[in-house]
Amino acid sequence: MSHNISDTPVSKEILKALRAERKDWIAGAAALARENKKARKAVMERLAAASATVPEIAEATGLAPDAALWMVASLKKFGEVVEAEKDGSFYRYALAAEAAQAQEA
Amino acid sequence: MDSSKNAVFDAVVIGGGIAGLQSALDLAGQGYKTAVVEKDASIGGKMIRLSKVFPTLDCASCITTPKMAAAAHHDNITLYTCCDVQRVEKNAAGVSVSMIQRPRYVDIDKCIGCRKCEYNCPVLVPDAEQGGFSGRKAIRIPFSNAIPQKALLDVEHCMLCGKCADVCPTKAIRYDQKPEPLAIQAKTAILATGYELSSVTGKPQYGNGDIPNVIDSLQMERLLAPHGPYGRVLRPSDGMIPDSIAYVQCAGSRDASMGVPYCSRFCCMYAVKQAMLLSGSLPLADITIYYMDIRAFGKNYEQFYQNAKAMGIEFVKAKVASLDAGQGGAVTVRYEDQTGEGATSRDHDLVVLSMGVLPGFAPGGVCPVGLGPDGFIQSVLPKMSPAVTDMDGVFVAGVAAGPKDIVDTITEAGAAAMEAAKYLTALSGKAPGAANKESAHE
């Protein structure tokens, strides 16, 4: 909440009023953002160790396999994770930065 | 592209899907000032969300995107997105449309579609545009080929943290935008309000949406799309490459218990199309279609169906009785095989329900247009002029009048535009370009 939003043409008073008006939505969104952050961190840490399949990520992070896949797909969309090689019936996923480094090497 | 609060047009098209865009382009091409009113944040309707189209297997986006861009850049077309129509009524001047434009919380004139806001937003929520299979941010461009390419803030998932406003290079974020009432006056209107799929939660025997790896056909379109959630077809429960995929036909239509007794007409063909695409992307997978009847009614459709059979797709004439969660993420399909085996069951890694087609617009209390018993807009001259409704000067195009495929939708949209143009010509006594041509001759 510490970001400077004074650049928007909305006064501090209006923002204060909006925060009061949208209190429940803000609380829900903040809880969701915390969950996202935790899940993202866990997935990124696992992938930093080595590429992994969705069941391996799920096992390492404690996320349900569908939730692990959802987070991987979301991270892939925003360019943080890439699909790596096929491993049996699954694909492995890797951190985009490390995959790029490996390709350069 | 600019929309104003109270505007006057020759024609208003309600619905910015392929039918509405085709009608609007045909009218605008004849010189008529046309407004397109769309409920979503982007025009393009269902078609822009599809992977490919049958029976040619052309890329859906390659057909739809040029029409979207042409409409967005046409001098005679004004787009109104994020609009909920409140009232469509006849008056002395023609047709008036009152609507509420939902706020984007972004200044559409300032937003340059750079997506910096999206990359920096900390809140991820399931992305309905990707079948819920991946996340989207609270602020985002709706999808990669959306038109307009403008950001949209989902205020119910916004923390008001200010990161988007911080990074926006044009200072376009407007947290305090409010819904805005808009009014359009036109001489004629075309209703091109499309359809919605019936819900997977409507049939307890098929698991009410609670069985993992049971998805609907539009979700499969996203899995097959080049920029789909996974970039390939994977099982949503664990990312496994499916070895066995089944289609359950008539899962939400021809079923009085779901309130959809009619045939949705194009499900057979899209199931065949998806099965062929799957067979291409997963050559080793077994693909089965459980069907009551195959309706291959259009030009080259029967050949398309025969090609699918020749490719090894298995067609089982059976009504699926129920679905259950099986071992290891499988789905158990219980069915009565009408060709001899009787009641039996089989496990599949992924099951696609071909859901029914429901009207996309409930005009009750909004527009006094006549409806058929199926809830779709009634055509009063179904054989001679299918676009004509019981409201003088109000025409219908596409699936708004009943389930139909894209070919018929586009043809009918052209017909609706011609009916509207005829109506406008009769009103004014001359076509819009006629005055210019006459003066040029003089």
Side-chain angles (χ1 to χ4, degrees):
Chain A
M1 297 284 183
S2 61
H3 286 261
N4 171 25
I5 48 181
S6 57
D7 281 340
T8 64
V10 180
S11 69
K12 280 183 180 172
E13 288 70 34
I14 292 174
L15 276 171
K16 197 175 164 191
L18 286 176
R19 286 201 172 107
E21 189 185 310
R22 299 175 188 169
K23 193 175 63 179
D24 292 343
W25 289 344
I26 290 170
L32 199 55
R34 279 194 295 274
E35 276 175 39
N36 291 162
K37 193 177 168 185
K38 202 172 143 189
R40 179 186 172 280
K41 186 169 176 266
V43 170
M44 296 294 275
E45 277 175 2
R46 172 62 186 85
L47 295 181
S51 68
T53 63
V54 168
E56 287 168 355
I57 296 168
E59 197 183 340
T61 58
L63 291 168
D66 61 335
L69 175 59
W70 189 86
M71 182 51 74
V72 166
S74 306
L75 293 170
K76 193 164 161 270
K77 176 180 173 179
F78 292 102
E80 295 187 84
V81 164
V82 292
E83 187 182 271
E85 70 281 5
K86 197 174 165 193
D87 183 353
S89 294
F90 295 88
Y91 279 88
R92 303 190 76 79
Y93 295 92
L95 293 184
E98 294 192 2
Q101 272 176 5
Q103 216 166 28
E104 276 171 25
Chain B
M1 285 278 293
D2 297 326
S3 53
S4 58
K5 267 189 172 182
N6 294 289
V8 178
F9 296 92
D10 291 314
V12 56
V13 178
I14 300 177
I18 192 65
L21 293 177
Q22 185 64 52
S23 293
L25 286 167
D26 286 358
L27 282 165
Q30 295 174 64
Y32 292 112
K33 295 284 177 193
T34 305
V36 175
V37 176
E38 170 55 46
K39 68 178 188 310
D40 286 344
S42 168
I43 55 171
K46 294 284 185 296
M47 191 174 169
I48 192 63
R49 277 96 169 169
L50 303 182
S51 53
K52 294 191 176 185
V53 293
F54 60 79
T56 54
L57 297 183
D58 288 326
C59 154
S61 181
C62 304
I63 300 170
T64 320
T65 311
K67 287 193 189 290
M68 292 162 70
H73 295 111
H74 204 296
D75 287 343
N76 287 338
I77 296 180
T78 304
L79 299 180
Y80 292 82
T81 52
C82 300
C83 284
D84 294 322
V85 172
Q86 304 290 299
R87 187 91 188 129
V88 180
E89 56 194 347
K90 290 284 295 175
N91 59 17
V95 183
S96 75
V97 177
S98 38
M99 55 203 183
I100 302 284
Q101 189 164 44
R102 299 185 306 278
R104 280 177 179 264
Y105 301 98
V106 168
D107 183 335
I108 196 164
D109 295 325
K110 286 192 167 181
C111 177
I112 54 171
C114 67
R115 298 180 68 198
K116 282 191 176 171
C117 54
E118 187 173 352
Y119 275 85
N120 283 277
C121 176
V123 187
L124 264 178
V125 290
D127 186 359
E129 296 292 354
Q130 296 286 17
F133 295 137
S134 64
R136 60 139 172 96
K137 298 296 182 69
I139 189 163
R140 80 282 180 192
I141 300 284
F143 48 90
S144 55
N145 43 4
I147 291 181
Q149 276 280 308
K150 305 286 180 183
L152 170 79
L153 173 65
D154 165 9
V155 72
E156 291 185 30
H157 291 105
C158 172
M159 297 195 291
L160 275 176
C161 68
K163 283 187 179 172
C164 53
D166 263 359
V167 298
C168 179
T170 59
K171 306 299 171 202
I173 310 298
R174 297 288 178 275
Y175 295 112
D176 60 341
Q177 271 184 352
K178 302 271 184 230
E180 194 172 3
L182 301 174
I184 287 175
Q185 179 65 50
K187 292 172 190 144
T188 183
I190 294 176
L191 305 174
T193 45
Y195 72 95
E196 295 299 333
L197 279 191
S198 58
S199 168
V200 293
T201 60
K203 185 93 175 167
Q205 293 91 326
Y206 293 167
N208 278 331
D210 295 332
I211 303 173
N213 302 318
V214 176
I215 64 174
D216 70 34
S217 42
L218 283 177
Q219 287 179 304
M220 179 52 93
E221 288 290 339
R222 294 317 305 156
L223 293 185
L224 287 164
H227 30 270
Y230 311 140
R232 60 177 69 255
V233 179
L234 298 175
R235 205 164 72 158
S237 71
D238 57 3
M240 192 186 94
I241 303 162
D243 276 334
S244 163
I245 302 165
Y247 280 80
V248 177
Q249 296 305 103
C250 303
S253 46
R254 300 175 74 192
D255 188 339
S257 74
M258 295 183 77
V260 187
Y262 52 85
C263 169
S264 295
R265 293 192 76 211
F266 52 84
C267 319
C268 287
M269 294 311 294
Y270 74 57
V272 171
K273 173 201 75 176
Q274 290 187 356
M276 287 174 92
L277 295 173
L278 284 167
S279 171
S281 60
L282 302 169
L284 300 179
D286 294 324
I287 301 160
T288 309
I289 297 182
Y290 296 96
Y291 72 101
M292 294 205 284
D293 306 288
I294 290 292
R295 299 195 166 181
F297 55 92
K299 189 176 179 182
N300 296 332
Y301 290 7
E302 177 63 22
Q303 187 59 50
F304 192 65
Y305 166 46
Q306 296 302 334
N307 290 350
K309 286 207 276 193
M311 285 173 77
I313 292 155
E314 186 186 7
F315 288 79
V316 177
K317 189 164 173 59
K319 175 66 182 166
V320 170
S322 65
L323 303 176
D324 293 292
Q327 292 285 316
V331 182
T332 304
V333 177
R334 295 181 204 285
Y335 61 98
E336 187 181 353
D337 190 333
Q338 292 173 23
T339 54
E341 272 189 65
T344 185
S345 68
R346 214 192 286 186
D347 280 3
H348 297 278
D349 292 333
L350 184 60
V351 168
V352 185
L353 299 178
S354 291
M355 301 310 299
V357 172
L358 303 174
F361 176 53
V366 175
C367 176
V369 68
L371 302 180
D374 52 9
F376 290 94
I377 294 167
Q378 181 91 52
S379 168
V380 292
L381 296 168
K383 289 197 168 59
M384 299 297 289
S385 302
V388 175
T389 72
D390 61 356
M391 279 177 81
D392 185 39
V394 176
F395 305 97
V396 62
V399 184
K404 58 180 64 72
D405 64 0
I406 291 166
V407 177
D408 289 354
T409 292
I410 292 177
T411 308
E412 202 174 86
M418 281 312 296
E419 292 287 353
K422 241 169 66 184
Y423 183 84
L424 288 165
T425 308
L427 280 183
S428 66
K430 57 176 79 170
N436 296 337
K437 280 178 197 158
E438 280 165 18
S439 55
H441 287 299
E442 284 162 12

